[in-house]
Every structure is written in C-alpha cells, then in structure tokens.
Amino acid sequence: MASSLTEGLAARNSSSGGSFLGHPRGLATLFMTETWERFSYYGMRALLVLYLTASVADGGLGMKAATAGAIYSVYTATVYLLAMPGGWFADRLWGPRRTVAIGGTIIMIGHFLLAVPVRASFFVGLVFIAVGSGLLKSNISTMVGQLYPDRNDPRRDGGFTIFYIGINLGAFLAPLVIGTVGQNVDWHLGFALAGVGMGLGLGQFLLGTKHLAPVSSVVPTPLDTAERAGLLKKALLWLAAAVVFYGVVTFSGHFTINWVLWPLSLLGLALPAYYFTRIRRDQELTSDEKTKVTGYIWFFVVAAVFWMIYDQSGSTLTVFASDHTASKLWGFHFPESWFQSLNPLFVMALAPVFALLWMKLGRRNPSTTVKFALGLVGIGASFVVMMLAQAAASGDTRVTPLWLAVVYLIQTAAELCLSPVGLSVTTKLAPVKYASQMMGLWFLAVTAGDCVAAILQLVIGEGFLSETAFAIQGGVALAAGVAFVLYRKRVVALMGDVH
C-alpha cells in the first residue's frame, strides 16, 4: 500500500511541471543544488592536503604528507559515513526534502568556520561539513530516484548520469576558482568562497522544491514519542562517554591525531557490516527484498575496492602533483590544485557519451555486474600507470603533467561505468522501508574504501607513495574485476526482477 502511494505521487510529479532534457522538471532543481554543493566541497577538498602540508610560514599547518593523507582519507570517509544516519533522519524524522535543507545550512556554516584563521575553528568546521554532507548527500540522490516511479524506466540511468554531470560541473569549477584563490591569495579566503557556493546551492534548492516529487516531503516511518525519548537518551549517553574518554586522554597528555584517525577508520569498516546485518534480519521485509539486499552486498564490496583507489585523487595524487609533477605545460603555469579539475572535466565530456550509449544499447546493455567489473579493471589500470609515473619521477625529476592527465582519464572512464550505475542500482534494490538508508549504505562503500586507504597510510607512512604500493593496489583491483565477471551469474540471480 505504501509503495503504491509512493509511486502514485511520484508519477503525478513526473507528469507535471514541464521537463528537463526529457526528464522530470525536478531534476533541474536537484542538478543545480548538487552543482553548488559539490563546488563548495571539492573546492575545500582541493585545498585540504595542500593546506595541511604547507609550512607554518606559508600559512599552513606544516604536517607530514602521510599524516595529512590519513587525515584526508578519514575526513572523506566520515563525510560518507554520516550519509547513513543522514538517511535515517530522513526516513524517521524529517523526510528527504527537509533533511537536505538542514544539511545544506550546516555545510555552509562549516565552510565559514574554515575561513576563520584559528586552528581549532578549522577542525570544528570540518566536523560541521561532514555532518551536513551526511544529511544532504544520500537524500538528494534519493529524491532523484523518486522522480522515476517505474524502477525499470529506461530514463532512470540517464537521469542519474545527468545528475552526475551536475556533480562534476561544480567539481570542475571549484579547484580553478577556490584552489587558485586559496593557493595564490589566502587559504582562508578560499575556504570562505566554498561557503558562498553552498549558500547559492541552498537558495537554489529552496526556490525549486515545488518541482520535486511530493513524496520527498513524506517521512516514511516516523518515530513515535517513546522511540524519540529512548534514542535521545542513548545519544546523550554515547556523547557523554566520548567526552569523558577524550577528556582523560587529552588531560593525561597522551592525545595525538591517531586517537581520532584509528577509531574513525575502524568504525568506518564496522558500521557497514552492522547495517547490512540489521536490514537483512528485519522481519518486516519480504523474502524477495532480503534476497535483493544480499545481492546488493556484492556491489558494495566492489565499490569499496574502487573508492579505495579513486578517492586518493585528493591525497596521494595531490602530493605526487605537488612533489613530483611539473606545474607547467606548453609554457603555461598553474597551481597544483588544478589537477583535481581534470577528472570532472573528463566526466562532463564523457558522461553524455556513456548516457547515450546505455540508452542506445537498450536491452543489449551490459548488465550492472559487467559495468561494475569494468569500473574495477579501469581503476586498477590507472594505478599501474601511476606506478610507471612514480618510477619516472625518481630523484628530483619532475614528470610531465600528462602522466596525471592519463591517470585521471582512465579513472573517469572507470567511474562512469560504476558510480552513476551504482546510484541507480541502489534505488532499484532498496526495500521501500529503507529507501534513504540504502542510499546511505551506498555512500558507506566510499567510507569503507577510504578507511582502508587511511589505515594503510597510517601503517606504511611515506611508503604509501612508492611504486610498490601503486602496483599492489592496482593489481588487487584488476584481480577483483575479473573475479566479479566470473561470479556475475550468481549476483544477477539475487537481483530478481531488477535488470
């Protein structure tokens, strides 16, 4: 009954209010909101490791590259880790639409806290951005899915790909604007520009909510009074325990950044296992829904391996760009942060091609499992190239920027095989009861991958930038891609009527 109501409301929305490139009009609102939100996030991300490793004399924090890389990995992991409770807030308290509005506001405040030239304010700002991103990220993607009431609508993958272009439009512009200002003018002014970007995204969302599916305002399974009181009590107890624990560690003189990095890294690996177990044991789900969740676990594991490598663009590859790559090409000089515009530039160029390809192939479309396998093989190949680039950069040699350009091009093709398709398959396989929370689980794959990368950086240290490290990671991804192809029939069977 609930499913019929949801699909009916979404159908009414998709048939009214005009269209956007052949898709529901609400896609334009979500497209622009995500563009500005990603502008703020990727602008901050382009500066993060560079700011952490810059000397104190240059206005940075003067950290070692390995420590900065681990902080970056744990931070990005936390952003996506909080997407799961963000989905829960939408499912149980506020609904997707209100949750996105609240999340955008918190993100904007966080960026402006980064703009304050005080070390404590900087790290508090990172916490705000992580919390706000968790509230916004999973729910805005859920609202894209709600625009298509038929889960097998052939426009669905194309709609998510167009939405993905919005993500990458913001990601492309951010390093060029925020990166340039941050590196060449003032770090904190760059962070302030990220806050302005989020403010524009929030305004766009509030003005365009009338075009969204009405169901986006509905709280699917609201908490009753007793549940609210019980959860508040538990939250306060956990908060008090954390305050006491870190208070003791700090005042005893034993606190280091590792007391934050290690617990968050391990938590990022434990939580996905917990959530999948809890959903699979929910007695309210049908056997078909549970089977689909089991099938989805395979996509989750593949995605985690993919993101472990892919998300190093803002850490490992940024350090390589800063230390071993010439920031000059054909006589033109540019800041190192500009390298992070390559991937979104390639996405915008290739995403329409991939979207058209998937639609043209129709029923001959490669299965989701094959697309995921192609993504793994591609991301593995990119680190084989990085192994060669690292070998070419021996000693004080600075290699041509074309090495990183090739790496980002390969990673983009791999990303387009996996990421937008992953968003789509998540909405297809998600039980109605866990619509937003399953999207949060999709983002926990990023968390898991980033946490593995963080742990490796904490253990290996500067060796994480070696040829051997690149070769091992690339080889693991290549092998996993081949194994997933060989196992695909079992996964397809678990997906049931979803194609």
Side-chain angles (χ1 to χ4, degrees), residues 302 305 369-370 372-378 475-487:
V302 169
V305 176
T369 53
V370 171
F372 264 60
L374 289 172
L376 267 187
V377 170
V476 168
L478 287 168
V482 173
F484 197 57
V485 168
L486 297 177
Y487 197 73

Side-chain angles (χ1 to χ4, degrees), residues 455-471:
I455 290 171
L456 290 175
Q457 288 175 89
L458 289 170
V459 172
I460 299 174
E462 301 300 317
F464 197 65
L465 281 166
S466 68
E467 299 167 39
T468 302
F470 287 130

